[in-house]
Amino acid sequence: KEKKNASFSATLSRRNKSPRRKRIFSWVGFEKWRDDVQHSARQMNIHAENLRRKYPERSELQHSPDVVQCYRNKSFEDESIDVDSRMCAYHLGVINNAMTVLQRDHSLDGMFVRREYALILDPMNREKIERSVE
């Protein structure tokens, strides 16, 4: 009798699970999204380079708290934070929103989407990034 109940509960649990959607590995129909992600990544590079030039004594890790604080608080108008940090945070938000929409609503693979901006933000790790999508 216990065996029968166990198989019945296994059948129920299989029924209640939603089927996994197949992940998409193509930008066909999503070219505007791809262009927006690439543009934001390029803009982040420009503003990060500006931060490095303005504050040569600070490492990139020392700039990160300002960017993260601005992104989390959505304080893009806060004058106490450097304008380049605010712009990095803004473009980080654009990329994050695009990732969320493309993965959740359109079933694009997350690593496939990540490759578009990761290759721009971190070109030294090209091989590692390319391998993660395969």
Side-chain angles (χ1 to χ4, degrees), residues 3 5 7-8 10 17 21-22 31 40 48 63 72-73 77 86 90 105 111-113 115 117 123 134:
K3 214 175 199 182
N5 287 339
S7 70
F8 179 71
K17 287 184 180 175
R21 296 192 310 186
K22 190 171 182 173
E31 291 87 358
S40 287
H63 294 297
R72 284 189 179 160
N73 299 339
E77 304 299 321
R86 288 184 280 159
Y90 171 78
D105 299 343
M111 294 305 288
F112 175 76
V113 176
R115 178 177 61 186
Y117 68 86
E134 294 172 351

Side-chain angles (χ1 to χ4, degrees), residues 2-134:
E2 280 186 36
K3 214 175 199 182
K4 187 177 181 181
N5 287 339
S7 70
F8 179 71
S9 65
T11 303
L12 278 180
S13 68
R14 268 188 255 121
R15 276 191 209 152
N16 293 333
K17 287 184 180 175
S18 61
R20 296 189 107 188
R21 296 192 310 186
K22 190 171 182 173
R23 293 285 168 201
I24 298 171
F25 291 87
S26 170
W27 285 107
V28 175
F30 301 102
E31 291 87 358
K32 182 179 180 340
W33 284 97
R34 182 189 61 210
D35 295 343
D36 289 348
V37 166
Q38 290 175 345
H39 173 74
S40 287
R42 286 188 197 98
Q43 291 300 311
M44 281 182 71
N45 270 349
I46 290 168
H47 293 293
E49 184 59 37
N50 290 345
L51 285 170
R52 282 190 287 274
R53 265 184 286 178
K54 283 184 201 175
Y55 309 104
E57 71 282 355
R58 292 173 69 183
S59 70
E60 283 191 34
L61 288 175
Q62 290 172 318
H63 294 297
S64 295
D66 290 342
V67 173
V68 171
Q69 174 193 353
C70 188
Y71 173 71
R72 284 189 179 160
N73 299 339
K74 306 292 185 218
S75 54
F76 304 120
E77 304 299 321
D78 185 357
E79 296 294 327
S80 67
I81 299 174
D82 188 279
V83 68
D84 288 308
S85 293
R86 288 184 280 159
M87 292 308 295
C88 279
Y90 171 78
H91 289 291
L92 177 65
V94 170
I95 290 172
N96 191 30
N97 290 340
M99 283 280 294
T100 301
V101 169
L102 290 169
Q103 284 181 275
R104 183 189 63 215
D105 299 343
H106 302 294
S107 299
L108 267 73
D109 181 72
M111 294 305 288
F112 175 76
V113 176
R114 182 183 176 278
R115 178 177 61 186
E116 288 302 315
Y117 68 86
L119 289 173
I120 295 169
L121 293 176
D122 191 12
M124 301 301 288
N125 284 329
R126 176 174 287 280
E127 287 180 28
K128 182 179 174 185
I129 293 166
E130 292 289 345
R131 262 184 284 139
S132 68
V133 177
E134 294 172 351

